[in-house]
Amino acid sequence: MSDWNTQIIEEFRANGGKVGGRFEGGTLLLIHHRGARTGTERVNPVAYLPDGDRMVIVASAAGADKNPDWYHNLKANPDTTAEVGTETVDVHAEEILGEDYTATWERLVARMPGFDDYRKKTTRRIPLFALTRI
């Protein structure tokens, strides 16, 4: 895990799910995921959009040309946990597709316009996952 991620995770846990810097005032969660090939558990901080009874996370990789590793891990192992605020919850991750993708993307960028900047940096379609409690 990168030092940057480690610092965000430590700050998140020390402050009941709140962090400063570029994430200050935003919604952030820690997604746990198990390696698709290795089975190793990892944790990544990700911004999320509260969307009804689901939390939408974005596999943006800051506009890189490939999906983040956690994308592949969630596809292989969709039942996992997420830390939201001070709570750890069991969730099921499902990639959002079709018309739901388009409508959800529009809601996402209306609330977090930086993700549209990431979209413009890459030729790939940035995946969205719906996390629902199980």
Side-chain angles (χ1 to χ4, degrees):
M1 182 171 11
S2 76
D3 287 340
W4 186 81
N5 277 352
T6 300
Q7 290 173 355
I8 297 292
I9 291 167
E10 289 173 357
E11 184 179 356
F12 181 98
R13 289 176 173 159
N15 296 301
K18 302 213 184 302
V19 296
R22 63 191 266 193
F23 292 113
E24 188 167 0
T27 51
L28 188 74
L29 62 78
L30 303 181
I31 188 70
H32 293 242
H33 52 100
R34 188 163 302 284
R37 288 186 306 249
T38 66
T40 302
E41 184 173 326
R42 296 181 172 87
V43 179
N44 282 86
V46 293
Y48 77 94
L49 173 71
D51 193 48
D53 62 349
R54 63 189 191 171
M55 297 170 284
V56 175
I57 60 174
V58 187
S60 68
D65 286 330
K66 68 177 202 160
N67 291 324
D69 291 342
W70 62 258
Y71 166 86
H72 305 286
N73 295 342
L74 287 182
K75 293 290 282 185
N77 302 295
D79 292 330
T80 189
T81 58
E83 295 176 53
V84 184
T86 59
E87 185 180 13
T88 300
V89 296
D90 293 326
V91 295
H92 178 77
E94 184 174 351
E95 188 168 359
I96 299 172
L97 302 169
E99 291 178 17
D100 188 18
Y101 178 91
T102 303
T104 304
W105 181 264
E106 289 173 6
R107 287 192 301 278
L108 174 82
V109 297
R111 180 134 178 232
M112 296 178 247
F115 283 111
D116 207 39
D117 295 335
Y118 293 158
R119 181 192 56 80
K120 293 173 186 172
K121 289 173 56 176
T122 186
T123 56
R124 71 181 170 91
R125 179 177 165 267
I126 295 176
L128 301 177
F129 279 91
L131 302 180
T132 53
R133 292 177 187 244
I134 52 175

